[in-house]
Amino acid sequence: MPGEPSAGNAIQAEGLRKAFGKTQALDGVDLAVPRGIVYGLLGPNGAGKSTVVRILSTLLRPDSGSATVDGIDVLRDPGAVRRHIGLAGQYAAVDEYLTGRENLVMFGRLSGLRKSVARERADELLERFDLVDAADRPSKGYSGGMRRRLDLAASLASRPPILFLDEPTTGLDPRSRLGMWGIINELVGDGTTVLLTTQYLEEADRLAARIAVIDHGRVIAEGTPAQLKARVGGEALEVAVVDAADLEAARAIVAGVASDEVFVEPERRRVRAAVADGPSALGRVSAEIGAAGIATEDLGLHRPTLDEVFLALTGRPAAEEAE
Amino acid sequence: MNPARALRDSGIILWRQLVQLPRIPEVLVFALIQPVMFVLLFRYVFGGAIATPGESYVNYLMPGIFAQTVAFGAVASGIGLAEDLRRGIIDRFRSLPMARSAVLVGRTVSDLVRNFAVVAVMYVVGLLVGFRPEGSIAAQVLAFLLLLLTSFAFSWIGVVIALSMKTVEAVQSAGFIWLFPLTFASSAFVPTDTMPTWLQVFADNQPFTIVVNAVRALFLDQPVGNYVWLTLAWMIGITAVMIPLATRQYRRRSA
Ligand SMILES: Nc1ncnc2c1ncn2[C@@H]1O[C@H](COP(=O)(O)OP(=O)(O)O)[C@@H](O)[C@H]1O
Ligand SMILES: [Mg+2]
């Protein structure tokens, strides 16, 4: 169904701006998403992630700026863009009165598949997304995780080369979230390009080959997860000792793995430092501390949270705004 | 978008709506409860006090009930679409390479099917409470067709209202408000000649009265005058204005 893939980036956006009344939802967003990867759009609630997705998936026109998806101009030829994309997540839904199978056949046919092809494709997707047992029940009765899987399956009916997933795991329990991560990884294995929005640093880190951090309608940082974490100081290793007399010895051990300055907080009997490779640093420090016979209260890795990323990038905490 | 694709996609949406219908029995039940209540109310409570020279009141009433039933169907069309917008399924449709008109056409045609079923049931209800249509079969079939055309036109009004409002609740209120003056300041329940002159001028000339007068004459074998032509003109006119309006709003609508 999709035409021949064009060269260049899967998604390219320049200077996207969009205001809703007085709210400047997007304030000049540029994006360049290479083909065949998961590209993470990371930002707090209200940052403008869904607005970007809505513009790129032809649901919304920007006030200014331009974008191409699979080489096709989103504003000039939205109809052609729709033949190359799938959309799932926050702003796309399935019909709750139809069964899982009926939904997949309907969306397949509306994507242009012939009836017999749409039926075959539905069977295939039900199988792949572990929905065979529930296939002939109305989706109203599905669990949250099942509904998300059906939602994602519906967006894949016509095998779109580019997929928009808007917060696909928000509201899911940890197990369903893990399942969803597995599915997304598989999709990229098939050559699909995925633009994934998320509020979770961990999710972006686990899935995305590149990440754009978005805040107040602007991209404030872009790069691989490693580059990004390097900018915010990456992982930190923390040791709390029982006896203040051991503080200096602990400092020396941590200094051996630190990628940067070592901080000591005498009143909390803590030593803290950024490390490049968390797990191996943790192993080394824990072995050396054990060998030195130092009693610890706490020893662990501290991964930067989204808040810390924002603090580091913007000097203020992530804005919590109601949607 | 070529017409064959538009027809095919509308057919798929129509299929969706019709599959849904028996799975949401509340919709059909509510669609029936309201006109049945009106029949009972007017037939047995108010009817005795309303003079309809030359015709039993129940015969006078039932064509008005049929017309009101299809007009109120517009509310269901609007609420159904507003629910789809709220749930996000319209966004998915809008992200697909399908005909832009299909979602609205599929819905309004399915509303036509639902309204046909409801009016057919109401016809039987009418017979049970003493309605005795005297029109020929052909005249009564024509009356049904006019009702269906009216249903279609009013559904499009409901769709335009749904696309202009932000919430389902707003669609619900806005969907009803205009229907009350239209259906009550009309010849549906009482002859207009007892109304004050200013109201009578409105009541006699507004499209709902024209529909009621046309179908009443056809069901009761009375002289129909120009009412059939006027009904056709009004309903085709309303549809012709509402379809492009609705399609334009649908394109621009962001949930
Ligand atoms: N349809 C809309 N009408 C008014 N304001 C909106 C609309 N859509 C989004 N906004 C506002 O634009 C900003 C960005 O929203 P959104 O893109 O949904 O953020 P995110 O998906 O990152 O949470 C928010 O302040 C939000 O309130
Ligand atoms: Mg969002």
Side-chain angles (χ1 to χ4, degrees):
Chain A
M1 177 89 208
E4 73 246 48
S6 42
N9 287 324
I11 301 168
Q12 184 87 40
E14 269 118 39
L16 293 180
R17 295 173 61 84
K18 179 76 193 177
F20 296 104
K22 288 200 176 109
T23 312
Q24 192 68 44
L26 297 186
D27 197 11
V29 167
D30 301 323
L31 277 183
V33 178
R35 282 173 193 282
I37 65 164
V38 176
Y39 191 96
L41 200 54
L42 174 68
N45 209 351
K49 304 181 295 297
S50 294
T51 305
V52 170
V53 168
R54 293 172 63 79
I55 289 173
L56 295 175
S57 57
T58 76
L59 298 182
L60 200 64
R61 288 179 74 89
D63 298 334
S64 62
S66 62
T68 60
V69 170
D70 218 0
I72 307 159
D73 193 306
V74 171
L75 294 174
R76 245 176 262 143
D77 200 356
V81 169
R82 289 181 202 118
R83 282 193 286 274
H84 296 240
I85 62 169
L87 171 65
Q90 214 176 355
Y91 282 104
V94 294
D95 188 314
E96 54 181 354
Y97 298 104
L98 299 190
T99 66
R101 188 190 308 279
E102 286 167 346
N103 266 295
L104 293 178
V105 172
M106 174 176 76
F107 288 120
R109 297 198 66 204
L110 291 174
S111 311
L113 302 183
R114 277 187 297 120
K115 198 185 241 171
S116 57
V117 180
R119 286 211 181 110
E120 274 168 40
R121 181 70 177 147
D123 285 337
E124 203 180 300
L125 288 166
L126 289 166
E127 188 79 44
R128 175 162 178 193
F129 288 84
D130 196 17
L131 291 167
V132 175
D133 293 338
D136 297 311
R137 294 208 310 266
S139 68
K140 201 180 172 69
Y142 285 16
S143 70
M146 285 161 76
R147 218 183 285 205
R148 288 294 173 91
R149 295 207 299 279
L150 179 61
D151 188 49
L152 181 53
S155 70
L156 295 173
S158 62
R159 303 176 199 275
I162 293 170
L163 194 60
F164 296 101
L165 300 181
D166 195 5
E167 299 198 23
T169 68
T170 299
L172 287 189
D173 60 79
R175 226 194 67 185
S176 307
R177 173 169 298 169
L178 273 178
M180 194 57 96
W181 286 356
I183 290 170
I184 295 169
N185 271 326
E186 264 179 49
L187 286 173
V188 180
D190 297 349
T192 309
T193 305
V194 178
L195 181 70
L196 168 103
T197 82
T198 180
Q199 302 188 33
Y200 309 112
L201 184 63
E202 188 195 359
E203 182 161 282
D205 192 13
R206 286 283 290 269
L207 295 175
R210 292 189 78 82
I211 298 174
V213 181
I214 181 170
D215 184 38
H216 286 273
R218 289 175 161 280
V219 174
I220 56 173
E222 206 271 349
T224 65
Q227 288 168 341
L228 219 61
K229 279 190 285 185
R231 274 186 70 176
V232 300
E235 287 171 320
L237 190 141
E238 263 190 33
V239 186
V241 296
V242 175
D243 188 348
D246 292 331
L247 212 49
E248 176 48 35
R251 194 204 67 79
I253 292 171
V254 171
V257 298
S259 58
D260 208 335
E261 198 181 342
V262 181
F263 297 95
V264 181
E265 295 176 66
E267 55 295 350
R268 294 173 65 212
R269 300 189 305 280
R270 268 173 192 274
V271 179
R272 181 185 165 103
V275 292
D277 179 0
S280 89
L282 183 62
R284 232 180 94 189
V285 168
S286 126
E288 288 179 25
I289 285 201
I294 299 172
T296 58
E297 221 167 61
D298 184 23
L299 168 61
L301 277 179
H302 180 88
R303 294 199 159 85
T305 63
L306 181 58
D307 272 334
E308 285 166 305
V309 171
F310 273 86
L311 202 57
L313 292 174
T314 66
R316 58 181 174 68
E320 264 305 324
E321 274 158 40
E323 208 153 318
Chain B
M1 192 59 68
N2 67 56
R5 181 70 198 258
L7 202 64
R8 171 186 180 276
D9 291 346
S10 302
I12 296 168
I13 299 293
L14 174 62
W15 168 84
R16 167 207 181 214
Q17 304 290 141
L18 294 181
V19 168
Q20 274 191 355
L21 205 53
R23 295 184 193 170
I24 324 175
E26 329 58 288
V27 171
L28 264 181
V29 170
F30 280 120
L32 276 167
I33 284 179
Q34 186 260 330
V36 168
M37 299 270 277
F38 272 91
V39 168
L40 298 178
L41 190 68
F42 279 90
R43 168 80 176 85
Y44 297 110
V45 181
F46 300 141
I50 301 171
T52 47
E55 202 56 69
S56 73
Y57 183 66
V58 65
N59 273 3
Y60 183 88
L61 173 68
M62 287 315 297
I65 293 283
F66 299 153
Q68 195 197 32
T69 303
V70 297
F72 274 53
V75 182
S77 307
I79 291 175
L81 182 61
E83 283 286 345
D84 278 353
L85 280 164
R86 187 179 62 79
R87 293 219 175 85
I89 194 160
I90 297 292
D91 274 347
R92 167 156 277 145
F93 287 142
R94 289 178 66 235
S95 77
L96 292 175
M98 59 186 282
R100 297 312 244 171
S101 54
V103 169
L104 303 181
V105 171
R107 173 171 292 282
T108 49
V109 173
S110 77
D111 289 335
L112 197 72
V113 174
R114 187 194 64 231
N115 274 336
F116 175 77
V118 173
V119 172
V121 172
M122 289 313 297
Y123 187 86
V124 175
V125 169
L127 295 178
L128 292 177
V129 299
F131 176 49
R132 295 294 173 263
E134 290 128 25
S136 66
I137 301 280
Q140 294 198 45
V141 168
L142 178 58
F144 258 99
L145 292 176
L146 291 182
L147 287 169
L148 292 183
L149 178 63
T150 306
S151 151
F152 193 64
F154 276 61
S155 280
W156 281 99
I157 300 177
V159 161
V160 168
I161 291 173
L163 291 169
S164 337
M165 302 277 152
K166 287 245 183 267
T167 66
V168 178
E169 291 72 24
V171 172
Q172 191 145 18
S173 327
F176 271 116
I177 276 171
W178 63 282
L179 282 167
F180 280 105
L182 199 74
T183 58
F184 285 101
S186 79
S187 68
F189 303 99
V190 293
T192 57
D193 49 22
T194 61
M195 298 176 186
T197 317
W198 60 269
L199 188 57
Q200 196 182 338
V201 169
F202 168 76
D204 280 339
N205 294 291
Q206 57 117 325
F208 187 73
T209 294
I210 286 167
V211 173
V212 171
N213 290 350
V215 297
R216 180 178 287 138
L218 291 167
F219 276 121
L220 303 183
D221 196 24
Q222 293 169 347
V224 71
N226 287 328
Y227 285 124
V228 170
W229 295 114
L230 283 173
T231 299
L232 287 174
W234 267 104
M235 294 307 136
I236 291 172
I238 289 173
T239 313
V241 173
M242 292 298 154
I243 289 182
L245 203 62
T247 314
R248 220 185 63 192
Q249 280 175 322
Y250 179 80
R251 269 175 221 266
R252 296 187 179 175
R253 172 75 192 218
S254 57

